[in-house]
Amino acid sequence: DPGLHALATRKGRYFGIAMDNPALSDQTYLSYAKNTKEFGVVTVGNSLKWDATEPSRNSFSYDRADAIVKFAEANGQAVRGHTLVWHSQLPSWVSNGNFNAAELTRIIESHVTNVMTKFKGRLFHWDVVNEVVDDGGNKLRDSVFSRTLGEEFIAIAFRAARKADPACKLYINDYNIDGLDAKSTFTYDLVKRLLAKGVPIDGVGVQAHLISGSVPGSIQENWARFASLGVDVAITELDIRIPLPVTDAKLQQQKKDYNAVTKACASIPRCVGITIWDFPDHYSWIPSVFPQEGAALPWDSNYKKKPAYYGIQEAL
Ligand code: XIL
């Protein structure tokens, strides 16, 4: 096998993984993760989230994130930053702070500026905001940010991000924006509106936490619709979970699903790359959050390539 990143690169795209700090002490894991033929990009899985980087106000901690960034840099892998403003993994000093609009604006600006300046020039993408759209698809998600500032919190975050590291591509990232539906349409309209106001959004990040056998038929059309706004599209957190137990037939279905996602990206000129949310099944977050589901990644727990791997390879 030539490797997924090597294949993606031939068409100007990348293939990458998310990884988290526990993996840094697993030599077997690392020997696979550093293979730049497979993986050209590393996303920091948890350690750049607000609770990790600014656990209390104006007290910043970067050691855990830096360890992953340094691992990627040592291998010559590019790094995606994830994520600056998110309602989850948000320290309670922010969520319970009862700040007024001016104060919360300063807090967002300070956080974005500090974190991005620390890693300036070392990250090629940042997920500036994460999961800002409500699941119903007709409003912004309720959070301390939307409650206090409305839609303006997104503009505040992106403007501070552009200022802090002008060369970095800035993304709005979300889940369940795969097919054409209310949530993806709200997201499309939101990005369009923000771009019209001059908010510096460079790309839409599609998390793509999908369910095998239920991948929407309209992913290509929907992701191309995002790209038609004049922004890049990145598949940022791909995994395709299987209802357990695993069978050969389910692995074949999962191969089809990975193939469909990869084909959709490959057919959209502005779809710049695909990141899977870790690569061997025993490191996946899925079993801890979705009981009775798992085996969501292209490598099994013994680092053996699954049919899903070949589903990706065949579409690149
Ligand atoms: C997940 C991590 O993988 C877990 O380790 C953590 O406990 C929870 O968050 N969408 C996102 C990611 O944007 O940050 C999430 O990562 C998965 C869902």
Side-chain angles (χ1 to χ4, degrees):
D1 299 328
L4 301 181
H5 181 61
L7 288 171
T9 303
R10 295 197 311 207
K11 305 213 180 111
R13 296 189 173 83
Y14 63 82
F15 193 86
I17 56 171
M19 65 180 279
D20 196 8
N21 291 67
L24 288 173
S25 55
D26 180 339
Q27 295 310 319
T28 309
Y29 178 101
L30 296 179
S31 70
Y32 287 91
K34 72 180 184 195
N35 179 358
T36 54
K37 290 195 166 65
E38 296 290 2
F39 312 128
V41 172
V42 171
T43 299
V44 181
N46 274 311
S47 305
L48 283 171
K49 294 170 181 174
W50 199 316
D51 60 352
T53 54
E54 194 184 7
S56 57
R57 192 167 181 180
N58 283 324
S59 157
F60 294 90
S61 80
Y62 295 120
D63 288 357
R64 291 200 305 137
D66 210 32
I68 293 184
V69 175
K70 280 186 174 133
F71 171 78
E73 287 173 343
N75 308 323
Q77 292 163 314
V79 184
R80 291 194 91 253
H82 173 81
T83 177
L84 292 162
V85 178
W86 188 25
H87 68 280
S88 186
Q89 293 176 273
L90 182 68
S92 56
W93 74 265
V94 184
S95 46
N96 298 335
N98 278 314
F99 302 111
N100 66 26
E103 190 73 357
L104 190 60
T105 299
R106 277 194 291 276
I107 287 167
I108 293 170
E109 286 174 342
S110 157
H111 181 73
V112 169
T113 304
N114 260 278
V115 181
M116 284 194 67
T117 302
K118 161 70 191 178
F119 292 98
K120 187 176 179 182
R122 298 167 73 193
L123 309 189
F124 83 127
H125 287 181
W126 257 110
D127 293 328
V128 176
V129 300
N130 197 29
E131 302 181 352
V132 301
V133 179
D134 187 71
D135 284 325
N138 60 353
K139 57 179 193 308
L140 287 184
R141 175 187 299 278
D142 178 64
S143 72
V144 64
F145 304 115
S146 63
R147 238 173 287 136
T148 312
L149 292 162
E151 200 170 290
E152 188 60 17
F153 87 86
I154 304 171
I156 291 164
F158 274 92
R159 291 196 178 110
R162 177 66 94 231
K163 216 169 150 187
D165 189 352
C168 186
K169 297 288 184 207
L170 307 179
Y171 278 76
I172 175 171
N173 195 51
D174 214 327
Y175 68 93
N176 282 356
I177 52 168
D178 307 296
L180 290 163
D181 59 17
K183 187 171 177 181
S184 66
T185 299
F186 188 92
T187 303
Y188 170 87
D189 290 337
L190 173 67
V191 172
K192 190 174 178 182
R193 201 158 57 236
L194 291 166
L195 288 170
K197 285 202 292 183
V199 178
I201 299 174
D202 298 309
V204 175
V206 175
Q207 293 185 9
H209 294 294
L210 296 165
I211 301 170
S212 187
S214 305
V215 175
S218 52
I219 53 178
Q220 199 278 341
E221 196 184 335
N222 181 50
W223 297 342
R225 178 170 68 147
F226 291 143
S228 76
L229 292 171
V231 295
D232 290 337
V233 173
I235 312 306
T236 54
E237 307 184 14
L238 176 62
D239 50 30
I240 307 183
R241 56 193 188 264
I242 290 176
L244 300 174
V246 173
T247 64
D248 285 346
K250 290 181 192 173
L251 291 174
Q252 288 305 321
Q253 176 62 47
Q254 188 186 42
K255 175 184 182 180
K256 283 189 195 144
D257 297 327
Y258 268 100
N259 184 263
V261 168
T262 309
K263 261 197 188 126
C265 179
S267 75
I268 300 167
R270 292 204 69 165
C271 187
V272 296
I274 297 176
T275 298
I276 49 176
W277 204 245
D278 229 312
F279 66 99
D281 280 333
H282 60 307
Y283 275 87
S284 172
W285 72 302
I286 292 293
S288 67
V289 176
F290 301 94
Q292 312 308 322
E293 296 177 273
L297 294 170
W299 277 260
D300 74 12
S301 299
N302 298 309
Y303 299 96
K304 190 168 149 13
K305 292 168 182 166
K306 293 159 63 181
Y309 176 93
Y310 298 97
I312 300 168
Q313 176 173 271
E314 286 162 19
L316 285 173

